Amino acid sequence: MDTILVTGGAGFIGCNFVRLALAETEARLLILDKLTYAGSLESLAGVLGDSRLRFLRGDIAERSTVQRVFLEHRPSAVVNFAAESHVDRSIDDASDFVRTNVVGAFELLEGARLFLAAAPAAERERFRFLHVSTDEVYGSLGLEDPPFTESTPYSPNSPYAASKAGADHLVRAYHETHRLPVLLTNCSNNYGPYQFPEKLIPLMILNALEGKPLPIYGDGGNIRDWIYVDDHCRGILEVLRRGKPGEKYNLGGGSEQTNLEVVDAICDILDKEWPATNSYRELKTFVANRPGHDQRYAIDDAKIRAELGWEPRHDFASGLRATVLWYLANRSWCEAVQAGTYGRERLGLGAKA
């Protein structure tokens, strides 16, 4: 039975991938997660007891931890979700972003290289290293510009995006220099269950439910392409199964929306599903734009559609409604987040890697 090492598996996208992989593969899953503020064992509730799942608490930027995991567990694949990903935090202090996103990616690549150098031929042949990245590495688009393709030059504008770009370059270099069988995916904005509420959609949902202001940067005209997290995870699994080593694949939702349109749509769903005295739209508040705020992201995912037959199953309207309903039905998880216990409330359940 293959073993997939899932780094950052207690985070937003990682925990959704873990659930999908348990349901649709026969592989063993080994989660390595540091359990920072953005990762929680609560997000793995219901699957932690699965016989094919093991959780290890550890830092991908610690060389001894990474090399021990490779030697003791001999994974047949690595899927690297582990990352600091909140742009505003990277503006305040980029040090954690450089450590996790750049140094952490390097230590994983180096650990994989050393592991494969001493591995039997059969293990080397089936091994894959899939690095999960973002469309933000490509920079910002104008309103009339064509979407990002896999050949779009990198032009990151935030410390977060720069750290992810640095990791992407390391991934490519390890393939070109060491022939490491890497795969790279760049996705648009994810949304769905278990997302940390600093991100736009869960922040708006939870603020609205508490009657708090809904802060919108600038005039709300910044545009993002949105992909439902389950669609993204299915794409990652398809790339892991059938992607060509050394290649990169863009994954998008085909759902460009302004931030204002997203907030209005959330308010409209809440007005119907959880009505208050007044419309939630009245809570909208426009605040000063953040530094270096990219105007528009858009993904051209024609390559993965043509080569691997993947396409998203959710449009934005259905995916957003499912997301809002999930948050309404999972207030206990939300309360743990808002109480400041996210990532710490069940720390003792994870063995130290």
Side-chain angles (χ1 to χ4, degrees):
M1 186 183 295
D2 288 342
T3 297
I4 303 174
L5 171 60
V6 183
T7 65
F12 165 45
I13 306 175
C15 77
N16 281 283
F17 176 82
V18 165
R19 285 183 166 81
L20 180 68
L22 286 173
E24 301 201 357
T25 78
E26 296 182 353
R28 289 185 294 257
L29 300 180
L30 175 66
I31 297 174
L32 178 63
D33 197 296
K34 190 178 178 181
L35 291 181
T36 64
Y37 69 94
S40 174
L41 291 176
E42 291 293 334
S43 297
L44 294 166
V47 297
L48 278 174
D50 193 293
S51 62
R52 291 189 289 130
L53 178 64
R54 181 173 180 185
F55 180 88
L56 297 175
R57 179 161 48 92
D59 185 350
I60 63 168
E62 290 182 356
R63 178 168 300 184
S64 60
T65 294
V66 170
Q67 293 187 2
R68 185 165 64 251
V69 167
F70 273 106
L71 290 176
E72 292 181 2
H73 299 278
R74 308 192 71 83
S76 53
V78 175
V79 183
N80 181 31
F81 293 100
E84 294 283 346
S85 65
H86 301 302
V87 175
D88 287 353
R89 286 179 181 259
S90 80
I91 294 171
D92 293 337
D93 183 357
S95 56
D96 285 343
F97 292 76
V98 173
R99 174 176 170 79
T100 299
N101 300 359
V102 181
V103 176
F106 163 71
E107 293 297 352
L108 286 171
L109 289 162
E110 187 67 2
R113 181 185 72 84
L114 295 174
F115 166 66
L116 291 182
E123 286 187 87
R124 294 197 304 270
E125 180 66 25
R126 73 172 184 268
F127 184 85
R128 296 291 184 270
F129 186 109
L130 194 157
H131 179 69
V132 180
S133 189
T134 172
D135 57 2
E136 295 190 43
V137 299
Y138 297 124
S140 183
L141 293 170
L143 294 179
E144 303 301 323
D145 290 337
F148 301 129
T149 70
E150 287 80 2
S151 60
T152 298
Y154 277 29
S155 185
N157 290 320
S158 70
Y160 159 64
S163 69
K164 292 296 289 186
D168 290 8
H169 291 317
L170 282 169
V171 170
R172 181 182 183 279
Y174 265 69
H175 175 73
E176 296 298 321
T177 300
H178 302 296
R179 308 316 298 173
L180 194 71
V182 304
L183 299 156
L184 182 61
T185 61
N186 295 80
C187 70
S188 53
N189 278 33
N190 279 236
Y191 67 100
Y194 301 107
Q195 187 171 29
F196 187 74
E198 284 183 348
K199 296 292 189 175
L200 177 66
I201 288 176
L203 176 65
M204 295 300 126
I205 296 170
L206 297 182
N207 273 19
L209 292 176
E210 295 183 7
K212 294 180 178 179
L214 308 181
I216 303 168
Y217 281 129
D219 62 1
N222 299 80
I223 299 170
R224 299 293 182 262
D225 177 33
W226 293 91
I227 184 171
Y228 191 61
V229 65
D230 186 69
D231 287 329
H232 180 204
C233 291
R234 290 182 183 279
I236 290 170
L237 191 57
E238 201 60 35
V239 172
L240 188 63
R241 285 167 166 164
R242 301 196 294 124
K244 180 181 178 182
E247 292 292 316
K248 67 182 300 188
Y249 300 88
N250 282 351
L251 294 101
S255 300
E256 290 188 55
Q257 307 281 330
T258 68
N259 289 344
L260 183 56
E261 288 172 333
V262 172
V263 175
D264 281 342
I266 292 169
C267 290
D268 292 346
I269 296 169
L270 287 173
D271 282 342
K272 180 179 179 181
E273 301 293 341
W274 200 268
T277 303
N278 300 314
S279 172
Y280 291 101
R281 287 191 180 212
E282 296 184 14
L283 297 172
K284 292 187 298 183
T285 304
F286 294 91
V287 299
N289 217 341
R290 74 182 178 204
H293 197 181
D294 291 336
Q295 177 60 36
R296 172 175 169 248
Y297 304 144
I299 282 283
D300 181 344
D301 56 13
K303 177 178 178 177
I304 190 172
R305 288 174 182 259
E307 295 186 8
L308 303 183
W310 171 90
E311 62 181 23
R313 298 181 179 184
H314 300 80
D315 60 25
F316 185 69
S318 65
L320 184 63
R321 185 173 185 276
T323 300
V324 173
L325 292 178
W326 185 89
Y327 278 93
L328 290 174
N330 289 272
R331 298 299 296 276
S332 60
W333 182 87
C334 300
E335 288 167 3
V337 174
Q338 292 168 306
T341 58
Y342 196 52
R344 300 192 300 272
E345 70 282 352
R346 291 173 64 187
L347 197 62
L349 292 184
K352 185 78 166 64

